[in-house]
Amino acid sequence: MKVLVTGAAGFIGSKLMYMLAARGDEVVGVDNINDYYDVRLKYGRLRECGFDIPEDQLEFGKVVLNSRFAKCSFIRLSIDDKASLDSLFSAGHFQKVVNLAAQAGVRYSITNPYAYMQSNLVGFLNILEACRNFKVEHLVFASSSSVYGLNTKVPYSEDDKVDSPVSLYAASKKSNELMAHAYSKLYSLPVTGLRFFTVYGPWGRPDMSPMLFAKAISRGEPIKVFNNGDMIRDFTYIDDIAEGTIHALDCKPDAAQCENGVAYKIYNIGCSHPVKLMDFISEIETAYGEPAKKEFLPMQPGDVYQTNADTAKLESECGYKPHWSLHDGIGQFMAWYKSEKNPLR
């Protein structure tokens, strides 16, 4: 199977690309390697996957072959560059596509809204157009648990209403779901959307809580604890997320078995065992070996009190089952954080 993975230098994308290549798929990864956060982390992920990039510089359009997997390659490319994307699809003959390329971050969307429209809407439209024009068999795309917004019913179910977003990032992800459904209906394109819940692990994003907490503890600085610590998150280890994405990729929607005859599915993908923020911090402290100084702050704009995934649908229809405990996952994360592999330590 030949698969295109966009956002392949990202946290989830790099792990997914590695797992797909390791099981024998032909994989092409693309990423624009923007500077939303330190690019050393993005280049480090690519090197961890087997791409020999000696310096943190890679020109757009350059193809890099993989030293570990013969059928894996990487190209620096932005999905909002329609001409380059169409050329890639024309030459690539991809059977399946996993679109993880997006401008990430809830709080960043409040101060930099236009970045989200260009990547998350224009870029995603380019992906949809390319998939329909070049006859892709199955598109899987990243949505987010943030679409549940002000929903107070927990655990979150795919059948819940998602029309009350509290950030532009969440609104852009809900827009992606609507766009994908329209393309699936209009062009008989099988599409699966994944509502990712809070992901953590080695090589994670530096703007996410595990990295922020570990960095603060290592420097003797206070960690910022929002809503005075009264928050709950469905923390999910990166390996479970990547494996679940592969399960979804291998589970192409059948229009005859889908609502209204549209080959379109939405799934929650998380751990389904939510954790109190203060318990999560306690695991970080234990793994690091030092207590954290804490600065208690009010809830931030765009945040929600809790996230809690009902993953029964993904489990029953695609065979997904998370395996990693929080204790083991934090242990793996902290071992990586302290190691020489971490370019930001």
Side-chain angles (χ1 to χ4, degrees):
M1 180 171 65
K2 189 169 186 180
V3 185
L4 172 68
V5 177
T6 73
F11 180 29
I12 300 173
S14 58
K15 188 70 176 185
L16 176 66
M17 178 170 58
Y18 181 91
M19 285 187 172
L20 288 170
R23 77 170 190 173
D25 290 325
E26 183 175 359
V27 187
V28 176
V30 302
D31 198 296
N32 67 357
I33 315 182
N34 67 31
D35 60 358
Y36 167 60
Y37 57 80
D38 198 320
V39 297
R40 289 179 297 167
L41 197 58
K42 300 181 181 185
Y43 282 106
R45 293 175 185 140
L46 291 174
R47 283 191 284 270
E48 187 75 3
C49 286
F51 295 103
D52 297 325
I53 304 174
E55 299 179 5
D56 292 351
Q57 297 292 331
L58 183 63
E59 62 189 64
F60 279 90
K62 182 178 177 61
V63 178
V64 182
L65 301 180
N66 195 292
S67 62
R68 190 174 303 171
F69 304 110
K71 297 190 294 183
C72 185
S73 60
F74 177 84
I75 306 168
R76 188 176 184 186
L77 182 149
S78 181
I79 64 170
D80 62 11
D81 180 349
K82 187 177 187 304
S84 295
L85 191 67
D86 284 349
S87 294
L88 175 69
F89 270 78
S90 179
H93 304 290
F94 304 113
Q95 294 166 282
K96 298 187 178 184
V97 174
V98 183
N99 181 57
L100 302 176
Q103 179 57 57
V106 170
R107 294 177 189 133
Y108 188 73
S109 70
I110 294 172
T111 56
N112 297 273
Y114 287 97
Y116 290 77
M117 296 302 98
Q118 188 65 24
S119 176
N120 298 11
L121 296 186
V122 174
F124 188 58
L125 175 61
N126 291 341
I127 289 289
L128 289 169
E129 277 287 284
C131 285
R132 84 167 176 104
N133 288 329
F134 295 98
K135 310 303 180 185
V136 167
E137 297 175 11
H138 185 196
L139 166 65
V140 175
F141 72 94
S143 184
S144 168
S145 62
S146 65
V147 300
Y148 289 106
L150 295 175
N151 189 352
T152 57
K153 171 187 161 292
V154 290
Y156 297 151
S157 166
E158 293 90 345
D159 295 327
D160 294 339
K161 293 181 67 175
V162 287
D163 54 4
S164 55
V166 295
S167 70
L168 187 64
Y169 172 72
S172 74
K173 287 301 184 179
K174 175 57 181 174
S175 298
N176 286 172
E177 294 183 4
L178 296 172
M179 294 163 69
H181 185 278
Y183 265 73
S184 182
K185 171 63 176 175
L186 288 169
Y187 307 114
S188 299
L189 171 66
V191 182
T192 299
L194 297 176
R195 291 175 176 167
F196 291 109
F197 283 68
T198 309
V199 189
Y200 75 97
W203 298 100
R205 280 173 28 207
D207 61 329
M208 298 293 284
S209 58
M211 288 280 277
L212 292 172
F213 293 165
K215 179 181 177 181
I217 295 173
S218 68
R219 297 183 177 185
E221 299 171 351
I223 63 174
K224 295 181 178 180
V225 184
F226 296 112
N227 204 37
N228 297 306
D230 185 19
M231 298 176 75
I232 299 171
R233 290 290 180 269
D234 201 326
F235 291 102
T236 312
Y237 191 65
I238 180 61
D239 287 39
D240 283 336
I241 287 289
E243 289 174 3
T245 302
I246 292 175
H247 278 286
L249 183 66
D250 292 341
C251 188
K252 184 173 73 171
D254 181 352
Q257 299 177 5
C258 294
E259 186 176 359
N260 299 318
V262 180
Y264 174 85
K265 289 279 190 176
I266 284 287
Y267 296 108
N268 289 333
I269 179 167
C271 184
S272 72
H273 294 288
V275 176
K276 293 179 179 179
L277 179 59
M278 295 307 295
D279 291 339
F280 184 79
I281 292 172
S282 179
E283 285 286 355
I284 292 277
E285 292 173 318
T286 299
Y288 194 85
E290 290 185 25
K293 300 175 183 177
K294 301 174 184 69
E295 179 183 1
F296 291 96
L297 298 168
M299 183 78 85
Q300 296 295 288
D303 273 355
V304 296
Y305 164 65
Q306 67 179 321
T307 62
N308 183 352
D310 179 348
T311 59
K313 184 178 177 183
L314 185 60
E315 292 178 18
S316 64
E317 295 186 7
C318 301
Y320 167 70
K321 189 70 177 177
H323 300 288
W324 283 81
S325 70
L326 181 67
H327 178 77
D328 291 342
I330 289 296
Q332 289 293 314
F333 163 73
M334 196 56 71
W336 167 83
Y337 184 86
K338 292 180 174 181
S339 76
E340 294 184 357
K341 286 186 176 183
N342 177 12
L344 307 185
R345 74 186 190 285

